[in-house]
Every structure is written in structure tokens, then in C-alpha cells.
């Protein structure tokens, strides 16, 4: 398989472009929403009214901004860079900023492959050396036991992982940060891959093992159901066959009395219940085929000879042992905290050449996955989708607080490390925002942000501990009003409520309510910058792979629909 069309120098050039853009705009992303009013963030960073930003954001997203001009540009503000005045460093042209942000996002830079392009390249390469391999049996419908987001992610990524495994001629997969085991289970059940799921949480590992056991039962039922459907399509039913046909809705054994959840926790069941399940009847029908499969009449044990009873017992034990062996071979959940220095052979006795994968691995685990791939000769390919950028540690943190335990998560490439590049935690938090969802009116809970910012004003004015390390937490969801919110927050912070009357608290709310539009507009600016910050983090990871000499291929690939799964980009690599 040929290398990605973008060489190291081209990726470095794209990184330079994004760095130049962020050097002008990153201050907005690093402004903390909690301090929005106490630091007068709007007037510090912008010289336009909030309504201009709001209307520009709306027009840019509906494609009507081509001829739009800024409403408030004065003569001395005519020289700008990315919409910021070169003299005051304040935003004077929101439309120019939004256009520049789009140009410096991953889609605007044009450096990503689509999932279909990657699959085609892998399959064409495989076709040159061997015949295409098929999945095991009929394709499972993942939305039967996952919500729509997780189903989309697992199906999209598992096909890519299977193609990577076939390209490399391997049968083992190491799923780092495997969590509840959805991807691992699907890879083992659908594609017959031997998957080792590694997670630092023992409860996740235990849950994944139990869930896989139940999904394995569902898989067998599903295969039998599809086989029966295919057989019925080839021949008409005889009267005898019709009498033996299994009707939908028959309850199964105890393992599937809560079949719609398939062994999910309460939180998972709530998440699943929020998704429409239009295939529930079919799912129950499929399970009934497994549970109620007709069989020949069974002779009662009392009528068997001693020899026949012993034979039946031996066969039963052999079947159970075979099922246990099969389950263990196909998916093995392991509990371990994984870093770049982790020795995989100490965790996996039967380790062979393998593909390393990670689906939404948090913080430093994603760069650690790439470091492990580069360092371990037994790892032939990698497919890593990261998330939770705010949990990344940064090597060049001026405060020296984020990288206290050796190797840091950002920057990863030698190229960015030479420039001592630093993003900042608030900017990385902004990178987690979902532009596509916000563009459709989803994703930002403005009232909760407004409450917290006004609370910070109250803490500044009346309490000396407004910079306390104590956190307010999720008080907003329980509060009935702003007054109630402040009381609950003060209790959480262990501060004296008697300093303020309800009227005093409400007066703060009424004073800042007319300025809520500033906060809304400012957060839209942060959302606009989010793809550029995420892009720099991901380009850094791709650059790291490009810097390695023994890789034959490396690319950024958009695996998911960003509306369903905002962290939609995978870093993919293949060794020579």
C-alpha cells in the first residue's frame, strides 16, 4: 500500500499555517467562561457588538456570507490579520475570522482521507496478494444493543480495523481503553478477530466480560435467525414446517429477561432508552429462535442406561468447556493502566503480531497508543481516535503543572516540540466543542454558563475565596432559579449564605442579564476556533508518525459523521 499523498514537509507546512492563525486567535479560546464578567472578556478581546458576531455566525453557516462586510470597522482598524486589528489585537471583523477559521480547520486544509478512500486503498492492496476475506456469517445489527451514536462508531471503525488486520495478515487486536467492550465484542463476534481489551477500570473489565457473554448468545441467535430466513426464502413451507415455525415474542431464558439492555448498567439503559428502537420485535424474535429452537424429543434421564447417562454428561461438559475456550480466545478483557512504557508481553502471554486500536481514548492515552505502536515491533498497524483534549498534559506549560510524571501528551512530534508550542487547558477544553452541533442549535447550555459567570462576580464582591480550588460542581441541574442556584453553590463552597439576601442575589442576575448576549457571542467565537485547535493536536500526531522511518503509510481519516460523533478523526498508521 502506497504512502499517504501528504509527505512530512507538507504536513509541517500545514502545521505552520495553523500555528500562525492560532497565534493571533488563541487568547479568545483560553479565556475562561467563569471569569467572563470579572475579567470583562468581551471588551478585552473584541471591538464589535455581540449582535454582529451572532448574525455573522448564522450567515456564515448558511452560506450567505460571501459579500458580507463588517458593520463596525473604522478607518484606523482597516489593517487586520484574521479579523483582528494589528494595533489593538481586538476583533474588528467577525466574518473574516470565521472564514479564516474554516480555512484552518482539517476540512479546510484538505489533509484528511475519507473512510471510504481508506477502505478502498486497503482492499485494493489486499486484492493484489490474496482474495478478500468475508466477515463471519450475517452482519450483526449493532443498533439492537447500542444507542445510535455508539452503533455508528463501532460499525464504522470495526470495518476499518478488520481491513487493517487483513492487510497486515494478523488475527490479533489490542483495544486500548476498551471501556465497556462494545468495539472489542463486535470485532470478535462479527469478524472473528482475537481481541484483547485493556482498560484501567476493573468494573469496566468485568462489565465488558459479562456483556460479551450475553452478546455472544445474541450473536448465535442472530446467525440462526438469518440462516432460517435464507432457507425460507429458497423453498416454500410445508405444513409440517409451518407448524414448527417459531413465533416472535416468546420469552427467552433469564439471561435475556431484560434483553433490550443486554446486560447494560442503569446509566446505559437510560442512554439506550433515549434512542428509538424500531427493531425490538425482530430482536426478540431472533433471540426466541435461539432459546426455543425445535429439537428431537429428549428421552427422560430416568429411562437412560447408566452408560447413556454418562455419555450425555460427558458431552455436556465438553460443550461447556468448548464455549468457555471459544469465548476466552476471541475476547479477553484485561485490567491494566497503560502508558507508552507498558510491556504488552507481560499482559498478554499469547501475544502475536497485532493491530492496536483505541476508540475515544481520553487525554494522554491517545498519544501513548501512538508511542506504543512506534516502539513495539509486534504492532503492525494502529487506528486511534482520541478525545478529551482538556486532559492532555503539555510539555511546555509555563506553570509547569501539567507534565509532572515524565512523558507528556502534547506536543508529540519533534517538529512542534522544537518550537516549544503551548496551547493551554482552556483552549484544549474549547477544542472539545462541537461546531457542527452548535451550528444546528445544539451543544451549548448558555443559562448554566451565565449563572456560573455571575456567581463568580458575587464571589469576587463578597467573598475573599472566589479563587478557591473548591468546585461548584453540577449545581445548575438541581436549581429552581438563579437565587436557588447561588444558595446551593455557596453551601457547596462552604461559604456564609447570610451575607446576601435573596433580593441582593436577584439584583446581580438582573444587572447582568442584558449582557448575556455577549457571553453567547463569545462562546460562538470559541466554538469557531475549536476545529482549528483540534486540527493542530491531530496534525501533531500525524506529524509524529510521518517522522518515523519504518512506516509505510500514515494518515488522518474521518471515520464518523461529526453530527453523531464530534470526535470523528482517526490517526491510522501501517509499518513496512
Amino acid at each position: 500500500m502506497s504512502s499517504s499523498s501528504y509527505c512530512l514537509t507538507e504536513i509541517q507546512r500545514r502545521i505552520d499555517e495553523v500555528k500562525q492563525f492560532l497565534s493571533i486567535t488563541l487568547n479568545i479560546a483560553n479565556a475562561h467562561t467563569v471569569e467572563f464578567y470579572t475579567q470583562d472578556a468581551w471588551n478585552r478581546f473584541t471591538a464589535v457588538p455581540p449582535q454582529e458576531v451572532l448574525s455573522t455566525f448564522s450567515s456564515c453557516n448558511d452560506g450567505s456570507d460571501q459579500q458580507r462586510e463588517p458593520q463596525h470597522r473604522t478607518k484606523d482598524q482597516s489593517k487586520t490579520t484574521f479579523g483582528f486589528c494589528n494595533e489593538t489585537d481586538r476583533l474588528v471583523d467577525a466574518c473574516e475570522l470565521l472564514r479564516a477559521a474554516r480555512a484552518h480547520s482539517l476540512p479546510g486544509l484538505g489533509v484528511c482521507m475519507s473512510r471510504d478512500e481508506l477502505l478502498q486503498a486497503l482492499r485494493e492492496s489486499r486484492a493484489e496478494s490474496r482474495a478478500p476475506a468475508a466477515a463471519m456469517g450475517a452482519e450483526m445489527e449493532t443498533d439492537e444493543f447500542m444507542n445510535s451514536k455508539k452503533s455508528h462508531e463501532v460499525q464504522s471503525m470495526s470495518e476499518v480495523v478488520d481491513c487493517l488486520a487483513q492487510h497486515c495478515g494478523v488475527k490479533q487486536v489490542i483495544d486500548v481503553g476498551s471501556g465497556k467492550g462494545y468495539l472489542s465484542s463486535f470485532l470478535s463476534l462479527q469478524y472473528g478477530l482475537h481481541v484483547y481489551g485493556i482498560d484501567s477500570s476493573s468494573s469496566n473489565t468485568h462489565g465488558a466480560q459479562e456483556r460479551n457473554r450475553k452478546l455472544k448468545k445474541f450473536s448465535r441467535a442472530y446467525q440462526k435467525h438469518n440462516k432460517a430466513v435464507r432457507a425460507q426464502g429458497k423453498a416454500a413451507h410445508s405444513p409440517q414446517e409451518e407448524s414448527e415455525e417459531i413465533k416472535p415474542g416468546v420469552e427467552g431464558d433469564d439471561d435475556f429477561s431484560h434483553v433490550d439492555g443486554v446486560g447494560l448498567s442503569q446509566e446505559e439503559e437510560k442512554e439506550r432508552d433515549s434512542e428509538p428502537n424500531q427493531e425490538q420485535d425482530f430482536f426478540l424474535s431472533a433471540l426466541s429462535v435461539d432459546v426455543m429452537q425445535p429439537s428431537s424429543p429428549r428421552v427422560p434421564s430416568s429411562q437412560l442406561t447408566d452408560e447413556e447417562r454418562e455419555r450425555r454428561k460427558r458431552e455436556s461438559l465438553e460443550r461447556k468447556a468448548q464455549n468457555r475456550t471459544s469465548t476466552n480466545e476471541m475476547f479477553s478483557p484485561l485490567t491494566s493502566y497503560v502508558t507508552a512504557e507498558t510491556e504488552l508481553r507481560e499482559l498478554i502471554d499469547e501475544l502475536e503480531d497485532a493491530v492496536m486500536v483505541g476508540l475515544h481514548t481520553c487525554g494522554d492515552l491517545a498519544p501513548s497508543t501512538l508511542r506504543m505502536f512506534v516502539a513495539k515491533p509486534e504492532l503492525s498497524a494502529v487506528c486511534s481516535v482520541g478525545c478529551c483534549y482538556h486532559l492532555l498534559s503539555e510539555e511546555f506549560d509555563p506553570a509547569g503543572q501539567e507534565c509532572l510524571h515524565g512523558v507528556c501528551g502534547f506536543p508529540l512530534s519533534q517538529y512542534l516540540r522544537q518550537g516549544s508550542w503551548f496551547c493551554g487547558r482552556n483552549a484544549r477544553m474549547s477544542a472539545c466543542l462541537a461546531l457542527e452541533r452548535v451550528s444546528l442549535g445544539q451543544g451549548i447550555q448558555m443559562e448554566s454558563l451565565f449563572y456560573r459567570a455571575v456567581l463568580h462576580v458575587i464571589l469576587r464582591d463578597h467573598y475573599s475565596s472566589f479563587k478557591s480550588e473548591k468546585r461548584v460542581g453540577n449545581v445548575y441541574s438541581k436549581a429552581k432559579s438563579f437565587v436557588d442556584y447561588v444558595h446551593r453553590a455557596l453551601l457547596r463552597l462552604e461559604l456564609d449564605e447570610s451575607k446576601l439576601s435573596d433580593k441582593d442575589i436577584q439584583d446581580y442576575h438582573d444587572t447582568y442579564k442584558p449582557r448575556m448576549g455577549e457571553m453567547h457571542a463569545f462562546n460562538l467565537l470559541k466554538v469557531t476556533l475549536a476545529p482549528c485547535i483540534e486540527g493542530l493536536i491531530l496534525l501533531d500526531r500525524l506529524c509524529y508518525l510521518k517522522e518515523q522511518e519504518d512506516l509505510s503509510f500514515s494518515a488522518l481519516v474521518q471515520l464518523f459523521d461529526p453530527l453523531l460523533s464530534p470526535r470523528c478523526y482517526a490517526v491510522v498508521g501501517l509499518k513496512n
Side-chain angles (χ1 to χ4, degrees), residues 165-315:
Q166 291 186 40
H167 174 86
C168 298
V170 303
K171 294 293 291 182
Q172 283 190 1
V173 174
I174 300 173
D175 184 3
V176 180
S178 55
K180 296 177 172 62
Y182 289 116
L183 177 64
S184 296
S185 293
F186 193 75
L187 286 169
S188 64
L189 294 174
Q190 181 64 31
Y191 293 101
L193 294 166
H194 297 238
V195 185
Y196 294 92
I198 306 176
D199 197 89
S200 61
S201 168
S202 58
S203 61
N204 274 351
T205 302
H206 175 75
Q209 199 161 22
E210 181 64 13
R211 189 173 294 103
N212 184 70
R213 182 183 69 83
K214 295 183 178 183
L215 290 178
K216 191 176 179 66
K217 274 194 172 184
F218 166 69
S219 176
R220 289 198 299 267
Y222 198 90
Q223 303 298 338
K224 289 180 181 179
H225 171 83
N226 278 278
K227 186 176 181 180
V229 169
R230 288 194 297 271
Q232 291 169 6
K234 293 180 180 178
H237 289 306
S238 67
Q240 181 179 358
E241 289 173 331
E242 290 183 0
S243 67
E244 293 179 350
E245 184 179 4
I246 304 302
K247 304 298 182 184
V250 182
E251 291 186 356
D253 60 13
D254 291 341
D255 283 335
F256 289 93
S257 61
H258 60 301
V259 73
D260 194 45
V262 192
L264 307 183
S265 66
Q266 283 186 333
E267 292 182 358
E268 291 173 279
E269 288 178 343
K270 290 179 181 177
E271 184 180 17
R272 169 160 172 75
D273 289 342
S274 67
E275 301 288 341
N277 185 7
Q278 300 175 350
E279 305 290 338
Q280 183 173 356
D281 290 340
F282 166 72
F283 181 50
L284 291 171
S285 174
L287 290 173
S288 301
V289 173
D290 183 45
V291 176
M292 303 296 295
Q293 190 75 18
S295 59
S296 57
R298 186 176 178 86
V299 179
S301 178
S302 59
Q303 299 180 18
L304 296 174
T305 64
D306 291 343
E307 182 180 347
E308 289 172 329
R309 275 198 296 268
E310 185 62 29
R311 178 182 57 80
R312 182 178 289 183
K313 181 179 179 181
R314 185 171 62 253
E315 290 176 350

Side-chain angles (χ1 to χ4, degrees), residues 414-427:
Q414 190 63 30
Y415 188 68
L416 267 183
R417 293 182 68 225
Q418 287 173 350
S420 303
W421 182 265
F422 173 73
C423 276
R425 188 178 189 277
N426 290 336

Side-chain angles (χ1 to χ4, degrees), residues 22 26 29-30 106 112 358-368 370 384-395 402 408-412 422-436 526-527 529-542 556-560 562 565-571:
L22 290 179
L26 201 60
N30 268 318
L106 289 179
C112 293
L359 174 54
H360 291 152
T361 47
C362 291
D364 286 346
L365 185 55
S368 291
L370 298 179
S384 171
V385 182
C387 68
C388 303
Y389 302 127
H390 60 292
L391 298 179
L392 279 172
S393 60
E394 292 201 58
E395 181 175 357
E402 293 192 348
C408 291
F410 181 84
L412 185 61
F422 173 73
C423 276
R425 188 178 189 277
N426 290 336
R428 287 183 279 106
M429 181 76 78
S430 297
C432 299
L433 297 171
L435 174 61
E436 291 81 6
K526 297 180 77 169
V527 168
L529 298 175
C532 307
I533 304 167
E534 178 183 36
L536 181 66
I537 293 171
L538 295 179
L539 284 171
D540 171 56
R541 295 174 184 178
L542 177 60
L556 286 177
V557 182
Q558 183 176 332
L559 286 189
F560 311 134
S565 182
R567 306 282 74 79
C568 61
Y569 294 103
V571 181

Side-chain angles (χ1 to χ4, degrees), residues 503-534:
K503 182 180 182 304
D504 293 333
I505 295 173
Q506 188 62 41
D507 284 346
Y508 273 96
H509 176 276
D510 296 343
T511 298
Y512 284 93
K513 181 68 173 179
R515 296 181 59 187
M516 191 172 177
E518 295 178 1
M519 176 175 280
H520 187 194
F522 198 81
N523 275 282
L524 289 182
L525 294 178
K526 297 180 77 169
V527 168
T528 300
L529 298 175
C532 307
I533 304 167
E534 178 183 36

